[in-house]
Amino acid sequence: VLDLPLLDAISAASIARLSKFHGQNISNTAWACAMLQYNNEPLMTALSAQALRTIKQFNAQDLGNTAWAFAALMLHDGPLLAAISAESIQRLEELQPQNVTNLAWACAKLEMADIPLFDALAAAAMWTMVDFNPQSLANTSWAIAAICYHHVPLLEAVSEASP
């Protein structure tokens, strides 16, 4: 059972302090909202705006988790997702399997066929495929199928890595 007055108070306090939030604060707050299925529009709008201002300071996990959270809440924030996509492509070497999976899943969930991002994620997945756990393999496979992304080497690598 959600305590909505408490969540609303936390949201208001977060918005008041948002100028001090950095990548991890933004992604953790968005992630918590998504896990609770608590879609507070003023908070999510403010988190998006702060993320756009500070996206260059996000690490790979912040990028993946923020994308995942917005997708889990079905919030198609075009400018934020474009910024996350561009930053993820720039920081491709930093992406770990969970980041790749979260980014791919978020795009697919929001029906965003971001081909430049998927091309980059495919490259990152190919480099790190040995570290993918079964859930990451399944979620990445679902994302590829959901947006009809056809990348034979990636599909073969997922197939070979699958238990």
Side-chain angles (χ1 to χ4, degrees), residues 38-150:
Y38 174 69
N39 187 357
N40 179 291
E41 185 177 344
L43 176 60
M44 298 309 291
T45 300
L47 288 171
S48 174
Q50 182 66 4
L52 288 170
R53 284 189 289 276
T54 61
I55 197 83
K56 295 289 184 192
Q57 285 80 45
F58 276 44
N59 66 32
Q61 184 174 354
D62 300 334
L63 294 167
N65 288 354
T66 302
W68 179 90
F70 274 74
L73 291 170
M74 294 303 295
L75 297 174
H76 194 291
D77 185 322
L80 175 61
L81 295 170
I84 289 172
S85 174
E87 193 63 24
S88 296
I89 291 169
Q90 292 271 329
R91 317 239 329 254
L92 191 60
E93 303 81 32
E94 298 172 31
L95 297 180
Q96 299 297 313
Q98 188 65 50
N99 313 136
V100 170
T101 300
N102 284 352
L103 289 162
W105 182 89
C107 286
K109 180 78 173 168
L110 294 173
E111 299 177 352
M112 282 183 44
D114 184 337
I115 299 306
L117 177 60
F118 267 83
D119 288 343
L121 295 177
M126 299 289 292
W127 302 330
T128 60
M129 188 63 62
V130 297
D131 297 324
F132 273 55
N133 63 32
Q135 185 70 46
S136 292
L137 289 170
N139 287 350
T140 302
S141 298
W142 173 83
I144 292 166
I147 66 154
C148 299
Y149 179 70
H150 189 71

